[in-house]
């Protein structure tokens, strides 16, 4: 019974102290309960230190440079987003505070407030003007864009028409081409043959004139010949 | 032993030539005299050096001189000097058809190694389609094998290729850098003196091409060409009628009906730069779509731009002469007229952006920039965005505004082009009439998306740097006015919401105009999204607007209604969430209601004005009384009557509030499109 009483009283003391180990003088002998508490505290401290060490060890991951580069845009984006959010919140708070003070001031009746009210009215008038001008410029811009669309459309149509014209030109003019086709082809081949001959002759003649180192300009007949050496219709005009 | 009589006469002619220039007959005679070597080689060189024409050079004189060249007695250096002379004064030759008749004779000299570059240049200026023959192509290719890929040969070959692609089958670089060199050096000083003497100002009758390498002399080249057409036509009227001629020179066009009559036989001038001034010439260029003309024009343009801005180093001065301004303005108006850009301008701009300081000729450079055709999304970052970003961050407020305006213009042009040229859900759109690059619809949408996102980023950072300046905000909202209507106005199935960095500064803006515009933009977004959803359900188009876009829109809507109407700004769950302890620190009563329509910085002036009008005798103003009863309705009308149509539209379409109800009800935000 006595021992139970002792235990109960020591537990009571402990509870009173909030389960912390009371500081004991060096000479005093500790009761076993207090010893156990002390050991518990030590162990919990050690466990805490170990957890901390483990956690710091976890963050040391090995990663290669290319892995880091891949993650970099994401981190940059996160950073930017955080910056923007911070800026916006700061802006909102700042504006809220400043304008609260301003509106309080504007409500009063002293000369400073009077001056501020005049300024406010003036800026509101300007805003009205700005609004009308902006409306005008918005409508004008719409008109300009519509006009540009129309012009570009016209340009496209013009090009299409020109292409059609080219196709019509190359198609030829004879509706009754079937009958004349053979004749035309023969004529064409003769023409080409003679054109080639003429070209060769022209080249030869030009070569002779150049090689002879004569001034072809002086003699009128030679000049006439020389000036026509380039004339040949290869493409049908 | 000098010949005194000869010497005296030569000195007389020389003096006249060097001071005032020589008339055409004198040019003829003197040229013939010199090239015939009647008195030896030295007088020939001397004569060539003072043979400055006053008005025109008769082409027969040149023909005769070429004949003397064929005789072969002239020293090579003198031949080179003669060719340089022809090239320098080429624009003053009255007509070129005789020269074309002796094309073959001129071509013959291409084999002379020392003469080759000059002959190639001369041939480049004279070539027509008929001149391109297989044997000439072969000769040039042989020369190329011997001399290597010289630029002058490459230029001539590429011109041949433009005329007859089937004859020139070798691969040629599509964009040749630089051009033919200027050969004006022997006459440079004299030309300057004559110009100064003749008129004393920049614009004068004698326009000569003066290329400057060291930049110490002013450049008159660009203005020059613009005056040439009138010069030539003044001469032509003296000659026989042009009806018998096969071709109709472009310089003689004076009216649009004339252009239509002669459309099939117009001959382009040798100096392509002169086209930039005349709208008739540009019409012709546009209709006929002549590749060789565009090649030559781009060539000249690229050369002029490079020399002016990239290669020439200016000693002192800002390089911003009036001619440069004039030239660039001309170029911009040309591109506006044709509604497309030149590819030489485009490549020049990409290079120039990397070295630009942001202030030299800013309006002109940005004006040129807005004409750049759609850039594929794979290279848009490197070519366009990187240099712009670098310039943007350290620039003035006005530069930031100008860049955003320029990109807005660019977007408008891209969208206009798309709405005209993409036909019936066509997937293959040819990008530019002259570049065969094709772009699919999705590629185009990618590029547009990249551009819009880029401007969003620029705007966000710009607003942060400039403290949410109203001017910058106004330009940014201009851009988003274009973006919000991409679907309904331009039939492009793309909707991109503005980023938070733009939305919040606009919502919390201190001027009512910005808030009103934001409301208007949000209304337009709603209409675009509703229309898109409707069409998607009808399965008319195959496009798909992502659910994320709808979510973003809903979030913004909710936020706007909560802020402006519901007094729920800083509450948890809203995007701008602030801890209530922090709010309490600010000592502002009812912080969540600090941006409603009566306390918003933009509208508090109106609220106070309204209060004064309603209760003029009240000493202490209490804005809450505006909310009571009929006054709220009147206040809203009062607000809308100041022209804030956007705000009115927003309130009417999104807020379930019935005027006429007794108390001001806490309107619930409404009208959010459901998720897709």
């Amino acid at each position: 019974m006595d021992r139970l009483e002792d235990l109960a009283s020591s537990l009571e003391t402990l509870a009173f102290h909030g389960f912390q180990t009371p500081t004991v003088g060096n000479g005093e002998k500790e009761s076993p309960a207090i010893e156990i508490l002390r050991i518990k505290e030590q162990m919990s401290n050690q466990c805490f230190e170990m957890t901390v060490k483990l956690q710091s060890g976890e963050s040391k991951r090995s990663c290669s440079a290319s892995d880091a580069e891949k993650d970099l845009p994401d981190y940059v984006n996160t950073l930017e987003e955080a910056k923007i959010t911070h800026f916006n919140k700061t802006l909102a708070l700042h504006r809220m505070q400043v304008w609260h003070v301003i509106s309080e001031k504007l409500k009063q009746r002293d000369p400073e407030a009077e001056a501020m009210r005049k300024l406010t009215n003036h800026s509101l008038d300007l805003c009205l003007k700005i609004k009308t001008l902006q409306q005008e410029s918005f409508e004008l811009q719409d008109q300009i864009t519509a006009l540009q669309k129309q012009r570009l459309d016209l340009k496209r149509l013009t090009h299409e028409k020109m292409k059609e014209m080219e196709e019509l030109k190359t198609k030829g003019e004879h509706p009754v081409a079937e009958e004349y086709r053979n004749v035309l082809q023969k004529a064409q081949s003769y023409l080409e043959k003679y054109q080639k001959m003429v070209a060769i002759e022209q080249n030869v003649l030009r070569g002779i004139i150049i090689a002879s180192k004569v001034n072809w300009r002086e003699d009128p007949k030679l000049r006439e010949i020389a000036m026509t050496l380039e004339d040949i219709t290869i493409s049908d005009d | 032993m000098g010949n005194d009589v000869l010497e005296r006469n030569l000195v007389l002619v020389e003096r006249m030539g060097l001071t005032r220039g020589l008339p055409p007959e004198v040019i003829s005679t003197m040229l013939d005299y010199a090239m015939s070597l009647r008195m030896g080689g030295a007088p020939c060189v001397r004569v060539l050096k003072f043979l400055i024409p006053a008005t025109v050079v008769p082409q027969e004189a040149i023909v005769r001189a070429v004949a003397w060249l064929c005789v072969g007695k002239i020293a090579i250096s003198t031949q080179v000097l003669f060719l340089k002379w022809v090239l320098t004064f080429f624009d003053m030759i009255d007509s070129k058809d005789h020269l074309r008749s002796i094309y073959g004779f001129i071509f013959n000299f291409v084999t002379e190694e020392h003469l080759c570059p000059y002959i190639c240049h001369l041939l480049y200026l004279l070539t027509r389609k008929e001149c391109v023959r297989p044997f000439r192509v072969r000769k040039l290719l042989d020369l190329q094998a011997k001399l290597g890929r010289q630029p002058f040969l490459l230029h001539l070959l590429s011109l041949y290729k433009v005329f007859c692609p089937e004859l020139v089958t070798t691969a040629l670089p599509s964009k040749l850098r630089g051009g033919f060199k200027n050969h004006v050096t022997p006459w440079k000083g004299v030309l300057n003196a004559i110009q100064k003497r003749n008129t004393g100002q920049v614009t004068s009758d004698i326009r000569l091409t003066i290329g400057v390498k060291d930049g110490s002399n002013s450049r008159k080249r660009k203005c020059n060409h613009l005056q040439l057409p009138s010069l030539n036509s003044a001469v032509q009227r003296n000659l026989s009628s042009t009806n018998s001629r096969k071709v109709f020179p472009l310089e003689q066009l004076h009216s649009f009906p004339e252009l239509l009559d002669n459309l099939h036989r117009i001959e382009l001038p040798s100096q392509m730069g002169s086209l930039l001034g005349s709208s008739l010439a540009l019409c012709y260029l546009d209709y006929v779509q002549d590749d060789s003309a565009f090649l030559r024009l781009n060539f000249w343009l690229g050369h002029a731009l490079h020399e002016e801005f990239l290669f020439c180093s200016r000693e002192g001065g800002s390089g911003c002469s009036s001619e440069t301004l004039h030239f660039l303005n001309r170029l911009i108006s040309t591109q506006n007229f044709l509604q497309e850009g030149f590819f030489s301008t485009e490549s020049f701009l990409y290079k120039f952006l990397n070295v630009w300081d942001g202030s030299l000729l800013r309006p002109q450079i940005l004006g040129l920039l807005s004409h750049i055709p759609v850039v594929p999304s794979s290279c848009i970052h490197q070519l366009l965005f990187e240099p712009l970003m670098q310039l943007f961050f350290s620039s003035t407020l006005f530069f930031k505004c100008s860049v955003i305006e320029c990109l807005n213009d660019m977007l408008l042009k891209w969208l206009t082009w798309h709405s005209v040229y993409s036909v019936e859900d066509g997937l293959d759109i040819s990008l530019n009439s002259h570049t065969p690059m094709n772009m699919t619809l999705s590629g185009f949408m990618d590029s547009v998306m990249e551009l819009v996102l880029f401007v969003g980023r620029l705007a966000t950072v710009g607003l942060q740097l400039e403290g949410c300046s109203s001017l910058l905000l106004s330009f940014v909202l201009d851009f988003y006015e274009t973006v919000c209507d991409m679907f309904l106005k331009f039939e492009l199935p793309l909707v991109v919401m503005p980023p938070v960095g733009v939305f919040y500064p606009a919502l919390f803006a201190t001027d009512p105009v910005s808030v009103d515009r934001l409301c208007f933009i949000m209304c337009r977004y709603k209409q675009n999204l509703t229309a898109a959803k409707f069409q998607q359900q009808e399965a008319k188009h195959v496009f798909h607007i992502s659910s994320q876009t709808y979510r973003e829109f809903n979030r913004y809507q909710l936020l706007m209604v909560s802020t402006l109407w519901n007094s729920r700004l800083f509450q948890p769950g809203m995007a701008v969430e602030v801890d209530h302890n922090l709010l309490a620190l600010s000592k502002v009563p009812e912080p969540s209601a600090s941006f409603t329509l009566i306390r918003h910085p933009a509208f508090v002036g109106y609220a106070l004005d309204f209060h004064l009008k309603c209760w003029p005798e009240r000493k202490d103003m209490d804005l809450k009384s505006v909310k009571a009863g009929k006054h709220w309705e009147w206040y809203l009308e009062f607000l809308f009557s100041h022209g804030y149509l956007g705000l009115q539209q927003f309130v009417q379409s999104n807020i379930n509030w019935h005027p006429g109800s007794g108390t001001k009800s806490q309107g619930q935000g409404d009208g959010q499109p459901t998720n897709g």
Side-chain angles (χ1 to χ4, degrees):
Chain A
M1 273 307 269
D2 279 348
R3 264 219 320 245
L4 275 173
E5 262 185 63
D6 279 349
L7 267 173
S9 66
S10 60
L11 277 173
E12 208 183 333
T13 344
L14 280 171
F16 196 71
H17 287 296
F19 289 105
Q20 303 290 335
T21 51
T23 49
V24 214
N26 277 335
E28 257 179 282
K29 195 171 134 213
E30 285 175 346
S31 65
I34 294 179
E35 236 182 67
I36 290 175
L37 272 181
R38 182 162 289 138
I39 292 172
K40 171 199 165 247
E41 261 188 42
Q42 272 183 354
M43 278 184 68
S44 72
N45 279 342
Q46 281 171 354
C47 281
F48 178 73
E49 276 172 19
M50 281 198 298
T51 330
V52 166
K53 275 226 174 81
L54 266 175
Q55 275 178 354
S56 65
E58 257 175 24
S59 58
K60 282 198 202 126
R61 269 180 320 165
S62 65
C63 60
S64 57
S66 60
D67 276 345
E69 261 178 39
K70 261 189 270 173
D71 293 334
L72 193 64
D74 292 332
Y75 294 144
V76 168
N77 281 342
T78 327
L79 201 66
E80 269 190 38
E81 277 169 31
K83 262 204 264 184
I84 293 171
T85 322
H86 169 75
F87 178 78
N88 289 331
K89 287 189 185 167
T90 317
L91 182 71
L93 286 171
H94 181 258
R95 291 258 160 99
M96 172 181 81
Q97 289 180 294
V98 169
W99 282 87
H100 172 69
V101 172
I102 289 179
S103 54
E104 287 303 311
K105 185 74 187 174
L106 281 173
K107 286 179 193 167
Q108 291 166 10
R109 303 253 168 181
D110 51 25
E112 260 183 20
E114 206 51 55
M116 279 178 74
R117 261 200 294 273
K118 264 200 200 142
L119 199 63
T120 315
N121 285 335
H122 179 62
S123 69
L124 291 180
D125 285 336
L126 285 174
C127 282
L128 182 64
K129 285 195 194 136
I130 293 175
K131 194 65 217 167
T132 25
L133 286 171
Q134 262 186 358
Q135 195 60 32
E136 238 183 83
S137 79
F138 180 72
E139 282 160 21
L140 281 172
Q141 181 64 53
D142 268 349
Q143 286 177 5
I144 290 176
T145 318
L147 271 171
Q148 280 184 339
K149 242 200 235 185
Q150 275 181 2
R151 277 195 72 214
L152 202 59
D153 211 9
L154 258 174
K155 184 169 142 128
R156 183 179 63 93
L157 285 171
T158 317
H159 291 168
E160 272 177 27
K161 285 283 173 250
M162 293 293 291
K163 267 203 200 126
E164 273 177 41
M165 271 169 46
E166 291 290 327
E167 279 170 28
L168 280 175
K169 257 201 239 175
T170 54
K171 255 195 219 158
E173 289 136 15
H174 293 283
V176 208
E178 261 314 311
E179 303 171 16
Y180 297 113
R181 200 195 293 178
N182 292 337
V183 182
L184 270 175
Q185 272 180 353
K186 235 193 197 174
Q188 193 85 7
S189 61
Y190 277 141
L191 181 64
E192 275 172 23
K193 191 169 81 170
Y194 282 109
Q195 275 180 342
K196 274 201 199 125
M197 278 166 48
V198 169
I200 294 176
E201 283 162 16
Q202 282 177 339
N203 285 347
V204 167
L205 204 52
R206 196 187 298 125
I208 294 177
I209 293 179
I210 291 174
S212 65
K213 293 204 190 278
V214 72
N215 187 332
W216 40 266
R217 181 70 178 62
E218 301 287 291
D219 181 52
K221 278 217 186 118
L222 194 55
R223 178 191 170 277
E224 244 185 72
I225 296 175
M227 297 294 275
T228 56
L229 283 183
E230 194 64 24
D231 266 348
I232 184 166
T233 49
I234 289 188
S235 60
D236 38 29
D237 238 325
Chain B
M1 192 65 155
N3 185 334
D4 282 347
V5 177
L6 173 67
E7 186 63 31
R8 246 180 294 137
N9 289 326
L10 270 182
V11 165
L12 266 175
V13 186
E14 187 173 27
R15 204 179 303 147
M16 187 168 155
L18 292 179
T19 49
R20 276 182 292 141
L22 301 167
E25 319 79 50
V26 177
I27 299 269
S28 276
T29 328
M30 291 310 295
L31 191 58
D32 191 42
Y33 170 77
M35 298 297 280
S36 60
L37 296 182
R38 241 170 263 165
M39 286 291 154
C44 177
V45 173
R46 188 172 165 190
V47 168
L48 278 176
K49 286 224 174 107
F50 67 68
L51 205 63
I52 316 269
T55 47
V56 286
V57 176
Q59 58 173 339
E60 269 309 305
I62 312 249
V63 172
R64 242 182 283 153
V66 172
W68 282 118
L69 266 187
C70 292
V71 173
K73 294 225 181 85
I74 309 178
I76 288 283
S77 54
T78 320
Q79 292 186 25
V80 168
L81 186 64
F82 166 70
L83 286 172
K84 280 190 184 174
W85 181 85
V86 173
L87 288 169
T88 307
F89 297 104
F90 189 81
D91 297 315
M92 305 183 80
I93 305 177
D94 54 3
S95 128
K96 323 277 192 297
D97 46 346
H98 286 187
L99 286 177
R100 285 199 194 100
S101 307
I102 55 167
Y103 189 95
F105 287 94
I106 300 177
F107 190 90
N108 169 64
F109 288 102
V110 88
T111 44
E112 287 285 333
E113 209 173 306
H114 297 284
L115 301 182
C116 191
Y118 312 100
I119 295 285
C120 284
H121 193 173
L122 186 57
L123 292 174
Y124 184 86
L125 294 170
L126 286 176
T127 307
R128 285 273 165 283
K129 188 167 167 144
E130 303 79 50
C131 307
V132 181
R133 313 270 184 91
F135 69 90
R136 288 185 181 143
V137 175
R138 245 178 288 135
K139 198 160 214 172
L140 285 177
L141 290 173
D142 286 341
L143 262 179
Q144 202 179 49
K146 229 195 308 172
L147 299 176
R149 285 168 82 81
Q150 298 284 352
F152 43 86
L153 286 173
L154 285 174
H155 288 315
L156 191 55
L157 276 170
S158 45
L159 186 62
Y160 276 18
K161 189 168 183 149
V162 166
F163 282 125
C164 301
E166 69 278 4
L167 289 179
V168 184
T169 48
T170 55
L172 292 166
S174 52
K175 285 172 195 180
L176 294 161
R177 211 174 307 145
F180 290 109
K181 290 210 198 109
N182 281 313
H183 306 293
V184 80
T185 339
W187 298 277
K188 195 157 55 177
V190 182
L191 287 173
N192 283 341
I194 289 190
Q195 280 211 307
K196 275 198 203 131
R197 208 164 310 202
N198 271 342
T199 56
Q201 34 164 347
V202 175
T203 54
S204 68
D205 286 339
I206 307 178
R207 280 336 129 69
L208 305 164
T209 58
I210 304 181
V212 184
K213 286 282 165 64
D214 55 13
S216 51
N217 296 329
S218 60
R219 274 174 190 284
K220 299 177 188 63
R221 196 191 320 155
K222 290 111 199 160
C223 298
N224 302 345
H225 305 301
L226 309 174
Q227 294 295 323
L228 281 172
S230 61
L231 176 65
N232 278 345
S233 56
V235 174
Q236 293 288 31
R237 287 208 187 99
N238 297 335
L239 303 176
S240 54
S241 72
T242 54
N243 289 333
S244 54
R245 292 154 62 98
K246 230 172 32 165
V247 289
F248 191 94
L250 189 63
E251 297 99 33
Q252 294 203 10
L253 273 185
H254 296 293
S255 67
F256 197 73
E258 247 178 64
L259 171 66
L260 290 178
D261 284 334
N262 296 305
L263 197 62
H264 53 284
R265 54 186 188 122
I266 289 204
E267 171 193 57
L268 291 167
S270 60
Q271 285 296 348
M272 296 304 281
S274 55
L275 294 180
L276 287 189
S278 132
S279 58
L280 271 180
L282 291 175
C283 279
Y284 170 70
L285 207 63
D286 189 33
Y287 298 156
V288 167
Q289 298 283 305
D290 184 4
D291 278 338
S292 71
F294 273 105
L295 183 77
R296 287 173 60 194
L297 184 58
N298 273 300
F299 207 62
W300 176 84
L301 202 55
H303 185 48
L305 286 169
H306 275 81
E307 273 211 24
E308 178 68 31
F309 294 103
L310 288 177
F311 294 151
C312 132
S313 61
R314 300 206 163 252
E315 309 142 1
S318 63
C320 188
S321 59
S322 64
E323 293 137 13
T324 324
L325 262 171
H326 183 69
F327 172 62
L328 286 178
N329 284 334
R330 263 274 146 76
L331 185 57
I332 292 176
S333 61
T334 304
Q335 292 192 167
N336 273 334
F337 183 82
L338 291 175
Q339 287 192 282
E340 59 181 284
F342 298 111
F343 73 72
S344 54
T345 324
E346 197 185 335
S347 52
F348 159 73
L349 277 171
Y350 291 147
K351 282 183 223 148
F352 188 64
L353 276 180
N354 287 314
V355 299
W356 191 32
D357 65 350
S359 62
L360 178 70
L361 297 166
R362 183 190 69 221
Q364 281 76 26
I365 299 290
L366 289 177
L368 283 175
L369 198 62
S370 64
H371 272 106
I372 287 187
V374 184
V375 188
S377 51
S378 50
C379 40
I380 195 169
H381 273 277
Q382 182 202 358
L383 286 176
L384 191 61
F385 292 166
E386 293 290 326
L388 275 181
M389 260 202 292
Q390 287 178 4
L391 285 167
F392 188 84
F393 291 144
S394 51
S395 59
T396 62
L397 176 65
F398 292 110
F399 183 79
K400 293 189 171 77
C401 296
S402 311
V403 167
I404 300 211
E405 187 187 16
C406 160
L407 294 174
N408 190 13
D409 274 340
M410 194 193 287
L411 181 65
L412 270 172
K413 291 189 170 82
W414 289 9
L415 291 171
T416 313
W417 172 83
H418 167 263
S419 66
V420 168
Y421 276 96
S422 75
V423 182
E424 297 143 7
D425 306 322
L427 288 177
D428 248 356
I429 316 167
S430 84
L431 200 51
N432 185 342
S433 354
H434 312 292
T435 54
M437 190 166 59
N438 282 340
M439 185 176 259
T440 61
L441 179 64
S442 61
F444 177 72
M445 280 173 54
D446 276 342
S447 296
V448 171
M449 174 81 109
E450 290 290 325
L451 180 62
V452 174
L453 291 176
F454 176 66
V455 176
R457 276 188 70 197
L458 279 186
T460 306
V461 177
L463 285 170
Q464 285 181 9
L465 287 173
E466 299 288 341
C468 300
S469 140
S470 313
L471 186 64
L472 185 60
L473 190 59
S474 149
F475 278 94
V476 171
L477 290 174
D478 274 339
F479 181 77
Y480 281 100
E481 266 176 7
T482 313
V483 171
C484 65
D485 261 329
M486 277 200 293
F487 179 62
L488 286 178
K489 270 195 201 165
F490 297 100
E491 296 112 31
L492 186 69
L494 188 65
V495 178
V496 188
M497 302 299 296
V500 280
V502 167
F503 181 79
Y504 285 105
L507 183 59
F508 300 141
T510 53
D511 63 300
V513 179
S514 303
V515 183
D516 177 67
R517 285 180 84 185
L518 182 67
C519 295
F520 175 74
I521 289 173
M522 291 302 286
C523 290
R524 295 300 308 168
Y525 267 119
K526 180 172 173 183
Q527 287 181 347
N528 274 267
L529 280 172
T530 326
K533 201 175 172 59
F534 180 69
Q535 287 207 355
Q536 208 169 324
Q537 280 168 352
E538 300 263 303
K540 268 192 203 155
H541 289 268
V542 198
F543 64 85
H544 170 67
I545 294 184
S546 72
S547 55
Q548 197 197 351
T549 316
Y550 285 109
R551 257 180 278 144
E552 273 183 50
F553 172 75
N554 285 343
R555 242 199 335 256
Y556 283 154
Q557 279 280 83
L558 196 60
L559 189 86
M560 272 183 84
V561 173
S562 316
T563 308
L564 291 173
W565 192 272
N566 280 343
S567 319
R568 282 174 44 197
L569 175 55
F570 294 117
Q571 308 290 337
M574 296 291 135
V576 184
E577 180 187 332
V578 179
D579 183 37
H580 66 271
N581 289 328
L582 193 60
L583 287 173
L585 273 178
S586 68
K587 299 205 180 56
V588 173
E590 287 185 25
S592 295
S594 42
F595 282 94
T596 56
L597 286 175
I598 38 176
R599 283 175 63 187
H600 195 289
F603 300 119
V604 75
Y606 291 112
L608 288 171
D609 199 23
F610 181 78
H611 190 281
L612 210 58
K613 288 202 166 86
C614 279
W615 300 285
E617 68 290 342
R618 256 204 223 170
K619 281 281 161 118
D620 51 341
M621 295 201 189
D622 178 21
L623 288 177
K624 284 221 189 97
S625 41
V626 176
K627 285 197 204 171
K630 277 252 168 209
H631 294 287
W632 181 247
E633 193 186 324
W634 293 339
Y635 173 64
L636 285 179
E637 264 183 51
F638 174 72
L639 204 55
F640 299 154
S641 69
H642 282 87
Y644 299 122
L645 302 168
L647 192 60
Q648 185 176 16
Q649 229 180 332
F650 184 79
V651 166
Q652 281 169 354
S653 62
N654 291 320
I655 296 181
N656 231 357
W657 166 69
H658 303 286
S661 60
T663 53
K664 174 211 169 235
S665 51
Q666 285 279 330
Q668 298 302 310
D670 190 30
Q672 306 156 21
T674 52
N675 276 351

